[in-house]
Amino acid sequence: MIIFNKIDEIKLYLRKQQNAGQTIGFVPTMGYLHEGHQSLIRKAAEENDITVVSIFVNPTQFGPSEDLAKYPRDLKRDEIKAKEAGAHIIFHPDDKEMYPEGYKTYIEVEELSDVLCGASRKGHFKGVATVVAKLFNIVHPDKAYFGQKDAQQALVIKQMVKDLNMDTEIVVCPIIREEDGLAKSSRNVYLSEDERKRSLVLSKSLRRAQELIEQGITDAKIIRSEIVGMIEKENVIIDYVEIVSADTLKQVDKIEGKILIALAVKVGNTRLIDNIILER
Ligand code: AMP
């Protein structure tokens, strides 16, 4: 496993490999790796000659009142987890390497960035799109792997790649969950024992929504109010509960075609997200 901190060095190394005919799979992360990240790394390692994992807690995607400073970091642990899952290279730049003094360029993916998480986290997807574009320019991946856990992020990145004629194929991988249903997240370490129990309502309410839809209920309002009712019982704060088209993120009244049910809930001080994609 090789760890690069400098853009010039990883670029030089990867260009040599690519000139020698090696394909590159890329998994961008903010570190504190768990089995969700590892599932993406495994898939990348299966499908490419070289697997690169970036670990960078990207300051431009955090709002001023968010958890940038306390976001969990542990490079030694990440090295072990990345290697175990089949990564060959870690790219771990510092903030100055990615955003040197005088940095001025940002990417905005319109509309898709303004709803759901983008509505409550202003500028979040501008930061995400910008850092992913920079990382793609550094790594030149043949394929890049993203989790459906961040369904909106995956859509924003797909749109950016299409609009900017980037040569990377985007692969979206399923949500990995704890045994009791909680979606794995680096932020789960923030949860107290009691909050951890209450956070189960996210996956439970999504499963209930799926059941209702399978029973034939097609009115999105009914599904939404069932989810909201379940969550409200748990003494947590709802950021949003939305039922939208899985392709456009526009709200739907009727459950038909491919829909995304997405939630963001604050359990104590921890903001958790979860979602399900259903096709009817
Ligand atoms: P993060 O480190 O939170 O920025 O996540 C890096 C990548 O891992 C993103 O593409 C996430 O969607 C993905 N990811 C995070 N948690 C999970 C999970 N539970 N299952 C699948 N993918 C995940």
Side-chain angles (χ1 to χ4, degrees), residues 211-246:
E211 263 172 35
L212 292 177
I213 290 168
E214 282 167 1
Q215 283 165 21
I217 294 179
T218 57
D219 186 341
K221 260 200 214 115
I222 296 176
I223 307 289
R224 188 178 176 281
S225 58
E226 176 81 7
I227 298 173
V228 169
M230 282 178 76
I231 298 177
E232 277 176 344
K233 281 195 199 124
E234 290 298 329
N235 185 25
V236 296
I237 296 169
I238 294 178
D239 179 355
Y240 64 78
V241 173
E242 299 265 21
I243 304 181
V244 297
S245 148

Side-chain angles (χ1 to χ4, degrees), residues 28-30 34 36-37 40 146-147 149-150 153 174-176 184:
T29 82
M30 299 205 298
H34 51 65
H37 301 112
L40 309 186
F146 291 84
K149 163 87 193 327
D150 299 272
Q153 168 172 279
I175 303 178
I176 304 297
K184 298 224 180 209

Side-chain angles (χ1 to χ4, degrees), residues 51-264:
T51 298
V52 180
V53 176
S54 64
I55 296 176
F56 179 58
V57 184
N58 174 38
T60 64
Q61 71 189 67
F62 285 77
S65 59
E66 293 181 359
D67 58 343
L68 173 64
K70 70 165 192 167
Y71 196 85
R73 293 162 168 91
D74 188 341
L75 186 63
K76 280 279 157 266
R77 181 177 170 278
D78 285 348
E79 264 182 68
I80 296 165
K81 296 228 174 220
K83 193 170 172 191
E84 189 183 278
H88 305 104
I89 290 166
I90 289 180
F91 178 48
H92 179 57
D94 65 17
D95 292 0
K96 279 227 171 74
E97 185 70 8
M98 291 298 276
Y99 301 106
E101 237 180 84
Y103 188 87
K104 290 193 196 323
T105 306
Y106 293 89
I107 291 180
E108 288 207 55
V109 178
E110 294 176 353
E111 291 176 22
L112 291 175
S113 298
D114 300 333
V115 294
L116 308 177
C117 287
S120 45
R121 303 185 72 189
K122 296 272 178 235
H124 171 68
F125 289 110
K126 178 177 165 187
V128 169
T130 301
V131 81
V132 171
K134 284 173 67 68
L135 291 167
F136 281 9
N137 280 336
I138 294 163
V139 175
H140 291 191
D142 296 278
K143 293 185 177 186
Y145 298 79
F146 291 84
Q148 193 209 305
K149 163 87 193 327
D150 299 272
Q152 185 175 12
Q153 168 172 279
L155 273 188
V156 166
I157 299 302
K158 274 189 181 168
Q159 184 75 43
M160 174 185 80
V161 163
K162 182 169 170 236
D163 289 350
L164 297 183
N165 313 102
M166 293 175 165
D167 289 325
T168 298
E169 182 189 332
I170 303 302
V171 182
V172 183
C173 304
I175 303 178
I176 304 297
R177 298 176 178 280
E178 302 286 354
E179 257 175 41
D180 60 9
L182 179 68
K184 298 224 180 209
S185 164
S186 307
R187 289 188 167 99
N188 290 350
V189 293
Y190 299 151
L191 299 169
S192 69
E193 211 176 299
D194 177 55
E195 289 168 348
R196 173 70 182 71
K197 277 189 201 135
R198 283 189 277 143
S199 64
L200 281 183
V201 74
L202 279 87
S203 55
K204 271 194 190 150
S205 63
L206 288 171
R207 278 203 305 274
R208 176 74 185 133
Q210 179 173 18
E211 263 172 35
L212 292 177
I213 290 168
E214 282 167 1
Q215 283 165 21
I217 294 179
T218 57
D219 186 341
K221 260 200 214 115
I222 296 176
I223 307 289
R224 188 178 176 281
S225 58
E226 176 81 7
I227 298 173
V228 169
M230 282 178 76
I231 298 177
E232 277 176 344
K233 281 195 199 124
E234 290 298 329
N235 185 25
V236 296
I237 296 169
I238 294 178
D239 179 355
Y240 64 78
V241 173
E242 299 265 21
I243 304 181
V244 297
S245 148
D247 299 320
T248 64
L249 301 185
K250 292 213 186 337
Q251 272 184 13
V252 298
D253 296 327
K254 205 167 168 226
I255 310 291
E256 59 188 353
K258 200 169 151 204
I259 59 137
L260 167 72
I261 309 181
L263 328 168

